[in-house]
Coordinates of all heavy atoms in Angstrom, one line a residue:
M1416 N 8.3 -5.5 5.4 CA 9.1 -4.5 6.1 C 8.2 -3.2 5.8 O 7.9 -2.9 4.7 CB 10.5 -4.3 5.6 CG 11.2 -3.1 6.1 SD 12.7 -2.7 5.4 CE 13.8 -3.9 6.0
A1417 N 8.0 -2.4 6.9 CA 7.3 -1.1 6.7 C 8.2 -0.1 6.0 O 9.4 -0.2 6.0 CB 6.8 -0.7 8.0
G1418 N 7.6 1.0 5.4 CA 8.3 2.0 4.9 C 9.3 2.7 5.8 O 9.1 2.7 7.0
A1419 N 10.4 3.3 5.3 CA 11.4 3.9 6.1 C 11.2 5.4 6.4 O 12.1 6.0 6.9 CB 12.7 3.5 5.5
G1420 N 10.1 5.9 5.9 CA 9.8 7.3 6.1 C 10.3 8.1 4.8 O 9.9 7.6 3.7
A1421 N 10.8 9.4 4.9 CA 11.0 10.1 3.8 C 12.5 10.3 3.6 O 13.2 10.3 4.6 CB 10.3 11.5 3.8
K1422 N 12.9 10.4 2.4 CA 14.5 10.6 2.1 C 14.5 11.5 1.0 O 13.8 11.4 -0.1 CB 15.1 9.3 1.9 CG 16.6 9.5 1.5 CD 17.2 8.2 1.3 CE 18.7 8.3 0.9 NZ 19.6 8.7 2.0
L1423 N 15.4 12.6 1.0 CA 15.6 13.5 -0.1 C 16.8 12.9 -0.9 O 18.0 12.8 -0.3 CB 16.0 14.9 0.5 CG 16.4 15.9 -0.7 CD1 15.2 16.1 -1.7 CD2 16.8 17.2 -0.1
F1424 N 16.6 12.4 -2.0 CA 17.7 11.8 -2.9 C 18.3 13.1 -3.7 O 17.5 13.9 -4.2 CB 17.2 10.9 -3.8 CG 16.8 9.6 -3.3 CD1 15.5 9.4 -2.8 CD2 17.7 8.6 -2.9 CE1 15.1 8.1 -2.2 CE2 17.3 7.4 -2.1 CZ 16.0 7.2 -2.0
V1425 N 19.5 13.1 -3.8 CA 20.2 14.2 -4.6 C 21.0 13.6 -5.7 O 21.3 12.4 -5.7 CB 21.3 15.0 -3.7 CG1 20.5 15.7 -2.6 CG2 22.3 14.1 -3.1
S1426 N 21.2 14.5 -6.7 CA 21.9 14.0 -7.9 C 23.2 13.4 -7.6 O 24.0 13.9 -6.7 CB 22.1 15.3 -8.7 OG 22.7 14.9 -10.0
G1427 N 23.5 12.2 -8.2 CA 24.7 11.5 -7.9 C 24.6 10.4 -6.9 O 25.5 9.6 -6.7
D1428 N 23.5 10.4 -6.1 CA 23.4 9.3 -5.1 C 23.3 8.0 -5.8 O 22.7 7.9 -6.8 CB 22.0 9.6 -4.2 CG 22.2 10.7 -3.1 OD1 23.3 11.0 -2.9 OD2 21.2 10.9 -2.5
V1429 N 23.8 7.0 -5.2 CA 23.6 5.6 -5.6 C 22.5 5.0 -4.8 O 22.4 5.0 -3.7 CB 24.9 4.8 -5.3 CG1 24.7 3.3 -5.7 CG2 26.1 5.3 -6.1
L1430 N 21.4 4.5 -5.6 CA 20.2 4.0 -5.0 C 20.4 2.5 -4.9 O 20.7 1.8 -5.8 CB 19.1 4.3 -6.0 CG 17.7 4.0 -5.5 CD1 17.3 4.8 -4.3 CD2 16.7 4.4 -6.6
T1431 N 20.3 2.1 -3.6 CA 20.5 0.7 -3.3 C 19.2 -0.1 -3.4 O 18.1 0.6 -3.3 CB 21.1 0.4 -1.9 OG1 20.2 0.9 -0.9 CG2 22.4 1.3 -1.8
A1432 N 19.2 -1.4 -3.5 CA 18.0 -2.2 -3.4 C 17.2 -1.9 -2.1 O 16.0 -1.9 -2.2 CB 18.3 -3.7 -3.6
V1433 N 17.8 -1.9 -1.0 CA 17.1 -1.6 0.3 C 16.4 -0.3 0.2 O 15.3 -0.2 0.6 CB 18.2 -1.6 1.5 CG1 17.6 -1.1 2.8 CG2 18.8 -3.0 1.7
Q1434 N 17.1 0.8 -0.4 CA 16.4 2.0 -0.4 C 15.2 1.9 -1.4 O 14.1 2.6 -1.2 CB 17.3 3.0 -1.0 CG 18.4 3.5 0.0 CD 19.4 4.3 -0.4 OE1 19.8 4.3 -1.6 NE2 19.9 5.3 0.4
V1435 N 15.3 1.2 -2.5 CA 14.1 1.1 -3.4 C 13.0 0.5 -2.7 O 11.8 0.8 -2.8 CB 14.5 0.3 -4.7 CG1 13.3 -0.1 -5.5 CG2 15.5 1.1 -5.6
N1436 N 13.3 -0.6 -2.0 CA 12.3 -1.4 -1.2 C 11.6 -0.7 -0.1 O 10.4 -0.6 0.0 CB 12.8 -2.7 -0.9 CG 13.1 -3.7 -1.9 OD1 12.5 -3.7 -2.9 ND2 14.1 -4.6 -1.7
T1437 N 12.5 0.1 0.7 CA 11.8 0.7 1.9 C 11.4 2.1 1.7 O 10.5 2.5 2.2 CB 12.9 0.7 3.0 OG1 14.1 1.4 2.6 CG2 13.2 -0.6 3.5
Y1438 N 12.0 2.9 0.8 CA 11.6 4.2 0.5 C 10.6 4.3 -0.6 O 9.7 5.2 -0.6 CB 12.7 5.2 0.3 CG 13.6 5.5 1.4 CD1 14.9 4.9 1.6 CD2 13.1 6.3 2.4 CE1 15.6 5.1 2.7 CE2 14.0 6.6 3.5 CZ 15.2 6.0 3.7 OH 15.9 6.2 4.8
L1439 N 10.6 3.4 -1.6 CA 9.9 3.6 -2.8 C 8.7 2.5 -2.8 O 7.6 2.9 -2.8 CB 10.7 3.5 -4.1 CG 11.9 4.5 -4.2 CD1 12.6 4.3 -5.4 CD2 11.2 5.9 -4.1
M1440 N 9.1 1.2 -2.9 CA 8.1 0.1 -3.1 C 7.2 0.0 -1.8 O 5.9 -0.2 -2.1 CB 8.9 -1.2 -3.2 CG 9.6 -1.3 -4.5 SD 8.6 -1.4 -5.9 CE 8.0 -3.1 -5.7
D1441 N 7.6 0.1 -0.7 CA 6.7 0.0 0.5 C 5.9 1.2 0.7 O 5.0 1.2 1.7 CB 7.6 -0.3 1.8 CG 8.1 -1.7 1.7 OD1 7.7 -2.6 1.0 OD2 8.9 -2.0 2.6
Q1442 N 6.1 2.3 0.0 CA 5.4 3.5 0.3 C 4.6 4.0 -1.0 O 4.3 5.2 -1.1 CB 6.3 4.6 0.8 CG 7.0 4.1 2.0 CD 7.9 5.3 2.6 OE1 7.4 6.3 3.0 NE2 9.2 5.1 2.6
T1443 N 4.1 3.0 -1.8 CA 3.3 3.4 -2.9 C 1.9 2.8 -2.8 O 1.8 1.9 -2.0 CB 4.0 2.8 -4.2 OG1 4.0 1.5 -4.1 CG2 5.3 3.5 -4.4
I1444 N 1.1 3.2 -3.6 CA -0.2 2.4 -3.8 C 0.0 1.4 -4.9 O 0.1 1.8 -6.1 CB -1.4 3.3 -4.0 CG1 -1.6 4.2 -2.8 CG2 -2.6 2.5 -4.4 CD1 -2.7 5.2 -2.9
M1445 N 0.0 0.1 -4.6 CA 0.2 -0.9 -5.6 C -1.1 -1.1 -6.4 O -2.1 -0.8 -5.9 CB 0.6 -2.2 -4.9 CG 1.9 -2.1 -4.2 SD 2.3 -3.6 -3.2 CE 1.1 -3.2 -1.8
R1446 N -0.9 -1.5 -7.7 CA -2.1 -1.7 -8.4 C -2.1 -3.1 -9.1 O -1.1 -3.5 -9.7 CB -2.1 -0.6 -9.7 CG -3.3 -0.7 -10.5 CD -3.3 0.4 -11.6 NE -4.3 0.3 -12.5 CZ -4.4 1.0 -13.6 NH1 -3.5 1.8 -13.9 NH2 -5.5 0.8 -14.3
F1447 N -3.3 -3.7 -9.0 CA -3.4 -5.1 -9.4 C -4.8 -5.2 -10.2 O -5.7 -4.5 -9.8 CB -3.4 -6.0 -8.2 CG -2.2 -6.1 -7.4 CD1 -2.1 -5.3 -6.3 CD2 -1.1 -6.9 -7.8 CE1 -0.9 -5.4 -5.5 CE2 0.1 -6.9 -7.1 CZ 0.2 -6.2 -6.0
A1448 N -4.8 -6.2 -11.0 CA -6.1 -6.4 -11.8 C -7.2 -6.9 -10.9 O -8.3 -6.6 -11.1 CB -5.8 -7.4 -13.0
T1449 N -6.8 -7.9 -10.0 CA -7.8 -8.6 -9.2 C -7.2 -8.7 -7.7 O -6.0 -8.6 -7.6 CB -8.2 -10.0 -9.8 OG1 -7.1 -10.8 -9.7 CG2 -8.8 -9.8 -11.2
T1450 N -8.1 -9.1 -6.8 CA -7.6 -9.4 -5.5 C -6.7 -10.6 -5.5 O -5.8 -10.8 -4.8 CB -8.8 -9.4 -4.4 OG1 -9.6 -10.5 -5.0 CG2 -9.4 -8.2 -4.2
A1451 N -7.1 -11.6 -6.4 CA -6.4 -12.9 -6.5 C -4.9 -12.6 -7.0 O -3.9 -13.1 -6.4 CB -7.0 -13.8 -7.5
A1452 N -4.8 -11.6 -8.0 CA -3.4 -11.2 -8.4 C -2.7 -10.5 -7.3 O -1.5 -10.8 -7.1 CB -3.6 -10.3 -9.6
R1453 N -3.3 -9.7 -6.5 CA -2.7 -9.0 -5.3 C -2.2 -10.0 -4.3 O -1.0 -10.1 -4.0 CB -3.7 -8.2 -4.7 CG -3.2 -7.5 -3.4 CD -4.3 -7.0 -2.5 NE -5.1 -8.1 -2.0 CZ -6.3 -7.9 -1.6 NH1 -6.9 -6.8 -1.5 NH2 -6.9 -9.0 -1.2
D1454 N -3.1 -11.0 -4.1 CA -2.7 -12.0 -3.0 C -1.6 -12.9 -3.5 O -0.8 -13.3 -2.6 CB -4.0 -12.9 -2.6 CG -5.1 -11.9 -1.9 OD1 -4.8 -10.9 -1.5 OD2 -6.2 -12.4 -1.8
A1455 N -1.6 -13.3 -4.8 CA -0.5 -14.1 -5.3 C 0.8 -13.4 -5.3 O 1.9 -14.1 -5.5 CB -0.9 -14.6 -6.7
A1456 N 0.9 -12.0 -5.2 CA 2.2 -11.3 -5.3 C 3.0 -11.3 -4.1 O 4.1 -10.9 -4.0 CB 1.9 -9.9 -5.8
F1457 N 2.4 -11.9 -3.0 CA 3.1 -11.8 -1.7 C 3.4 -13.1 -1.0 O 2.5 -14.1 -1.2 CB 2.3 -10.9 -0.7 CG 2.2 -9.5 -1.1 CD1 1.1 -9.0 -1.8 CD2 3.2 -8.6 -0.8 CE1 1.0 -7.8 -2.2 CE2 3.1 -7.3 -1.2 CZ 2.0 -6.9 -1.9
G1458 N 4.5 -13.2 -0.3 CA 4.7 -14.4 0.6 C 5.5 -15.6 0.0 O 5.9 -16.4 0.7
G1459 N 5.6 -15.6 -1.3 CA 6.3 -16.8 -1.9 C 7.8 -16.5 -2.0 O 8.2 -15.4 -1.6
V1460 N 8.5 -17.4 -2.3 CA 10.0 -17.3 -2.5 C 10.4 -16.1 -3.4 O 9.9 -16.1 -4.5 CB 10.7 -18.6 -2.9 CG1 12.2 -18.5 -3.1 CG2 10.4 -19.7 -1.9
G1461 N 11.1 -15.2 -2.9 CA 11.6 -14.1 -3.7 C 10.5 -13.1 -3.9 O 10.7 -12.0 -4.6
E1462 N 9.4 -13.2 -3.1 CA 8.3 -12.1 -3.2 C 8.3 -11.4 -1.9 O 8.8 -11.8 -0.8 CB 6.9 -12.8 -3.4 CG 6.8 -13.5 -4.7 CD 5.5 -14.3 -4.8 OE1 4.8 -14.6 -3.8 OE2 5.1 -14.7 -6.0
P1463 N 7.8 -10.2 -1.9 CA 7.8 -9.4 -0.8 C 6.8 -9.9 0.2 O 5.9 -10.7 0.0 CB 7.2 -8.0 -1.3 CG 6.7 -8.2 -2.5 CD 7.2 -9.4 -3.2
T1464 N 7.0 -9.4 1.6 CA 6.1 -9.9 2.6 C 5.2 -8.7 3.0 O 5.5 -7.6 2.9 CB 7.0 -10.1 3.8 OG1 7.9 -11.1 3.6 CG2 6.2 -10.5 5.1
L1465 N 3.9 -9.1 3.2 CA 2.9 -8.1 3.5 C 3.3 -7.3 4.8 O 3.8 -8.0 5.7 CB 1.6 -8.7 3.7 CG 0.8 -9.2 2.5 CD1 -0.4 -9.9 2.9 CD2 0.5 -7.9 1.7
A1466 N 2.9 -6.1 4.9 CA 3.3 -5.2 6.1 C 2.2 -4.3 6.4 O 1.5 -3.8 5.5 CB 4.6 -4.5 5.9
E1467 N 1.8 -4.1 7.6 CA 0.8 -3.2 8.0 C 1.0 -1.8 7.4 O 2.1 -1.4 7.4 CB 0.8 -3.1 9.5 CG -0.3 -2.2 10.1 CD -0.4 -2.2 11.6 OE1 0.4 -2.8 12.2 OE2 -1.3 -1.5 12.2
G1468 N -0.1 -1.3 6.9 CA -0.1 0.0 6.3 C 0.1 0.0 4.8 O 0.1 1.1 4.2
M1469 N 0.3 -1.2 4.1 CA 0.4 -1.2 2.6 C -1.0 -0.9 2.0 O -2.0 -1.2 2.6 CB 0.8 -2.6 2.2 CG 2.3 -2.9 2.5 SD 2.7 -4.5 1.8 CE 4.5 -4.3 1.9
F1470 N -1.0 -0.3 0.9 CA -2.1 0.0 0.1 C -2.2 -0.8 -1.2 O -1.1 -0.9 -1.8 CB -2.3 1.6 -0.1 CG -2.7 2.2 1.0 CD1 -1.9 2.6 2.1 CD2 -4.1 2.6 1.2 CE1 -2.3 3.3 3.2 CE2 -4.5 3.4 2.3 CZ -3.6 3.7 3.3
A1471 N -3.3 -1.1 -1.8 CA -3.4 -1.8 -3.1 C -4.7 -1.3 -3.8 O -5.8 -1.3 -3.1 CB -3.4 -3.2 -2.9
Y1472 N -4.6 -0.9 -5.0 CA -5.9 -0.5 -5.8 C -6.2 -1.8 -6.7 O -5.3 -2.2 -7.4 CB -5.6 0.7 -6.6 CG -6.8 1.1 -7.4 CD1 -7.8 1.7 -6.9 CD2 -6.8 0.7 -8.8 CE1 -8.9 2.1 -7.7 CE2 -7.9 1.0 -9.6 CZ -9.0 1.8 -9.0 OH -10.1 2.1 -9.7
I1473 N -7.5 -2.1 -6.7 CA -7.8 -3.2 -7.5 C -8.7 -2.8 -8.7 O -9.7 -2.2 -8.5 CB -8.7 -4.3 -6.7 CG1 -7.9 -4.7 -5.4 CG2 -9.1 -5.5 -7.6 CD1 -6.5 -5.4 -5.7
D1474 N -8.2 -3.0 -9.9 CA -8.9 -2.5 -11.1 C -10.3 -3.2 -11.2 O -11.2 -2.5 -11.7 CB -8.1 -2.9 -12.4 CG -6.8 -2.0 -12.5 OD1 -6.8 -1.0 -11.9 OD2 -5.9 -2.5 -13.2
A1475 N -10.4 -4.5 -11.0 CA -11.7 -5.2 -11.2 C -12.9 -4.5 -10.5 O -14.0 -4.6 -11.0 CB -11.5 -6.7 -10.7
D1476 N -12.6 -4.1 -9.3 CA -13.7 -3.5 -8.5 C -13.5 -2.0 -8.2 O -14.3 -1.4 -7.5 CB -14.1 -4.4 -7.3 CG -13.0 -4.5 -6.3 OD1 -11.9 -3.7 -6.5 OD2 -13.1 -5.2 -5.3
N1477 N -12.5 -1.4 -8.7 CA -12.2 0.0 -8.5 C -12.2 0.4 -7.0 O -12.8 1.3 -6.6 CB -13.2 0.9 -9.2 CG -13.1 0.7 -10.7 OD1 -12.0 0.7 -11.3 ND2 -14.3 0.6 -11.4
T1478 N -11.6 -0.5 -6.3 CA -11.5 -0.4 -4.8 C -10.1 -0.2 -4.3 O -9.1 -0.9 -4.8 CB -12.2 -1.5 -4.0 OG1 -13.5 -1.7 -4.6 CG2 -12.3 -1.4 -2.6
L1479 N -9.9 0.6 -3.3 CA -8.7 0.8 -2.6 C -8.7 0.1 -1.3 O -9.7 0.2 -0.6 CB -8.4 2.3 -2.4 CG -7.1 2.7 -1.8 CD1 -5.9 2.3 -2.6 CD2 -7.0 4.2 -1.5
Y1480 N -7.7 -0.8 -1.1 CA -7.6 -1.6 0.2 C -6.3 -1.1 0.9 O -5.4 -0.7 0.3 CB -7.4 -3.1 -0.2 CG -8.6 -3.7 -0.9 CD1 -8.8 -3.6 -2.2 CD2 -9.5 -4.4 -0.1 CE1 -10.0 -4.1 -2.9 CE2 -10.7 -5.1 -0.7 CZ -10.9 -4.8 -2.0 OH -12.0 -5.5 -2.7
F1481 N -6.3 -1.3 2.3 CA -5.1 -1.2 3.0 C -5.0 -2.5 3.9 O -5.9 -3.2 4.2 CB -5.2 0.0 3.9 CG -6.2 0.0 5.0 CD1 -5.8 -0.3 6.4 CD2 -7.5 0.2 4.9 CE1 -6.7 -0.5 7.4 CE2 -8.4 0.2 6.0 CZ -8.0 -0.2 7.2
Y1482 N -3.7 -2.8 4.2 CA -3.5 -4.0 5.0 C -3.3 -3.6 6.5 O -2.5 -2.8 6.8 CB -2.1 -4.6 4.4 CG -1.9 -6.0 5.1 CD1 -2.8 -7.0 4.6 CD2 -1.0 -6.3 5.9 CE1 -2.6 -8.4 5.1 CE2 -0.8 -7.6 6.4 CZ -1.6 -8.5 6.0 OH -1.4 -9.8 6.5
T1483 N -4.2 -4.2 7.3 CA -4.1 -3.9 8.7 C -3.1 -4.6 9.5 O -3.0 -4.2 10.7 CB -5.5 -4.4 9.3 OG1 -5.6 -5.8 9.2 CG2 -6.7 -3.7 8.6
G1484 N -2.4 -5.5 8.9 CA -1.4 -6.3 9.6 C -1.8 -7.8 9.7 O -1.0 -8.6 9.9
S1485 N -3.2 -7.9 9.5 CA -3.7 -9.3 9.5 C -4.7 -9.6 8.3 O -4.9 -10.7 8.1 CB -4.4 -9.6 10.9 OG -5.5 -8.7 11.0
A1486 N -5.1 -8.5 7.7 CA -6.1 -8.7 6.6 C -6.2 -7.4 5.7 O -5.9 -6.3 6.2 CB -7.5 -9.0 7.1
W1487 N -6.7 -7.6 4.5 CA -6.9 -6.5 3.7 C -8.3 -5.9 3.9 O -9.3 -6.6 4.2 CB -6.9 -6.8 2.2 CG -5.6 -7.2 1.7 CD1 -5.1 -8.4 1.5 CD2 -4.6 -6.2 1.2 NE1 -3.8 -8.3 1.0 CE2 -3.4 -7.0 0.9 CE3 -4.5 -4.8 1.3 CZ2 -2.3 -6.4 0.4 CZ3 -3.4 -4.2 0.8 CH2 -2.2 -5.0 0.3
S1488 N -8.4 -4.6 4.1 CA -9.7 -3.9 4.4 C -9.9 -2.7 3.4 O -9.0 -2.2 2.9 CB -9.6 -3.2 5.8 OG -10.8 -2.7 6.3
T1489 N -11.1 -2.6 3.1 CA -11.5 -1.5 2.1 C -11.4 -0.2 2.6 O -11.7 0.0 3.8 CB -12.9 -1.8 1.4 OG1 -13.9 -1.7 2.5 CG2 -12.9 -3.1 0.8
I1490 N -11.3 0.9 1.8 CA -11.3 2.2 2.1 C -12.6 2.8 1.3 O -12.7 2.5 0.1 CB -10.0 2.9 1.7 CG1 -8.9 2.4 2.5 CG2 -10.1 4.5 1.9 CD1 -7.6 2.9 2.1
S1491 N -13.4 3.5 1.9 CA -14.5 4.1 1.3 C -14.8 5.5 1.9 O -14.3 5.8 2.9 CB -15.7 3.3 1.4 OG -16.1 3.0 2.7
T1492 N -15.7 6.2 1.2 CA -16.1 7.5 1.9 C -17.3 7.3 2.6 O -18.1 6.3 2.4 CB -16.4 8.5 0.8 OG1 -17.5 8.1 -0.1 CG2 -15.1 8.9 -0.1
S1493 N -17.6 8.1 3.7 CA -18.7 7.9 4.6 C -20.0 8.6 4.0 O -21.0 8.5 4.6 CB -18.4 8.4 5.8 OG -18.3 9.8 5.9
G1494 N -19.9 9.1 2.9 CA -21.0 9.9 2.4 C -20.7 11.5 2.4 O -21.2 12.3 1.7
D1495 N -19.9 11.7 3.4 CA -19.4 13.1 3.6 C -18.1 13.3 2.8 O -17.1 12.5 3.0 CB -19.2 13.4 5.0 CG -18.8 14.8 5.3 OD1 -18.2 15.4 4.4 OD2 -19.0 15.4 6.4
S1496 N -17.9 14.0 1.8 CA -16.8 14.1 1.1 C -15.5 14.5 1.8 O -14.4 14.3 1.3 CB -16.9 15.0 -0.2 OG -17.2 16.4 0.4
D1497 N -15.6 15.0 3.0 CA -14.5 15.3 3.8 C -14.1 14.2 4.8 O -13.2 14.3 5.6 CB -14.8 16.5 4.7 CG -14.9 17.8 3.8 OD1 -14.3 17.8 2.8 OD2 -15.6 18.7 4.3
Q1498 N -14.8 13.0 4.7 CA -14.4 11.8 5.6 C -14.1 10.6 4.8 O -14.6 10.3 3.7 CB -15.6 11.5 6.4 CG -16.0 12.6 7.4 CD -17.2 12.2 8.3 OE1 -18.0 11.5 7.9 NE2 -17.2 12.8 9.5
I1499 N -13.1 9.9 5.3 CA -12.7 8.6 4.6 C -12.9 7.6 5.8 O -12.5 7.8 6.9 CB -11.2 8.7 4.2 CG1 -11.1 9.6 3.1 CG2 -10.7 7.3 3.8 CD1 -9.7 9.9 2.6
V1500 N -13.4 6.4 5.4 CA -13.7 5.4 6.3 C -12.5 4.3 6.1 O -12.4 3.8 5.0 CB -14.9 4.8 6.1 CG1 -15.2 3.5 7.2 CG2 -16.0 5.7 6.3
L1501 N -11.7 4.0 7.1 CA -10.8 3.0 7.0 C -11.3 1.8 8.0 O -11.3 2.0 9.2 CB -9.4 3.4 7.5 CG -8.7 4.6 6.7 CD1 -7.4 5.0 7.5 CD2 -8.5 4.1 5.3
G1502 N -11.7 0.7 7.5 CA -12.3 -0.3 8.2 C -13.5 0.3 8.9 O -14.5 0.6 8.3
S1503 N -13.5 0.3 10.3 CA -14.7 0.9 11.0 C -14.4 2.3 11.5 O -15.3 3.0 12.2 CB -15.1 0.0 12.0 OG -14.1 -0.1 13.0
Q1504 N -13.2 2.9 11.3 CA -12.8 4.2 11.8 C -13.1 5.2 10.8 O -12.8 5.1 9.6 CB -11.4 4.2 12.2 CG -11.1 3.4 13.5 CD -9.7 3.6 13.9 OE1 -8.7 3.4 13.2 NE2 -9.5 4.1 15.1
I1505 N -13.7 6.4 11.1 CA -13.9 7.6 10.3 C -12.8 8.6 10.6 O -12.6 9.0 11.8 CB -15.3 8.1 10.5 CG1 -16.4 7.0 10.1 CG2 -15.5 9.3 9.6 CD1 -17.8 7.4 10.3
F1506 N -12.2 9.1 9.4 CA -11.3 10.2 9.6 C -11.8 11.3 8.9 O -12.3 11.2 7.7 CB -9.9 9.7 9.1 CG -9.3 8.6 9.8 CD1 -9.5 7.3 9.5 CD2 -8.5 8.8 10.9 CE1 -9.1 6.2 10.2 CE2 -8.0 7.8 11.6 CZ -8.2 6.5 11.3
G1507 N -11.5 12.6 9.3 CA -11.9 13.8 8.6 C -12.6 14.7 9.4 O -13.2 15.3 9.9

């Protein structure tokens, strides 16, 4: 499930499992030791499902990945510090 956007939580609110999953878990950059550990964390019984737009940082290769909806793709700079490359698209 994709993230639900932004929500302002106020003191005294009861935080539900759905809110944790959609507002917090789905909108963070997850961190894994290896790509194998990342891949093993999804799709099994009781595990989250991959969704387009998810990000994961891998310690083993110091690389940030994003999920396109069908595969993990790397994020890198294009050599220009004001540009970020997502797959083959350049932003900045």
Side-chain angles (χ1 to χ4, degrees):
M1416 174 194 282
K1422 179 177 176 77
L1423 176 63
F1424 292 96
V1425 297
S1426 181
D1428 280 354
V1429 174
L1430 188 61
T1431 66
V1433 169
Q1434 290 172 325
V1435 168
N1436 290 330
T1437 59
Y1438 288 106
L1439 304 176
M1440 295 290 289
D1441 286 348
Q1442 298 184 68
T1443 64
I1444 295 179
M1445 298 170 283
R1446 183 176 175 189
F1447 297 94
T1449 63
T1450 56
R1453 176 202 62 203
D1454 296 344
F1457 295 95
V1460 175
E1462 294 175 342
T1464 302
L1465 287 171
E1467 183 175 2
M1469 288 181 161
F1470 284 80
Y1472 179 81
I1473 306 301
D1474 291 336
D1476 60 9
N1477 297 318
T1478 301
L1479 184 61
Y1480 293 83
F1481 71 100
Y1482 191 69
T1483 66
S1485 60
W1487 288 101
S1488 187
T1489 60
I1490 296 176
S1491 62
T1492 61
S1493 66
D1495 180 337
S1496 62
D1497 293 332
Q1498 294 181 333
I1499 295 176
V1500 179
L1501 299 176
S1503 61
Q1504 292 186 302
I1505 298 176
F1506 297 88

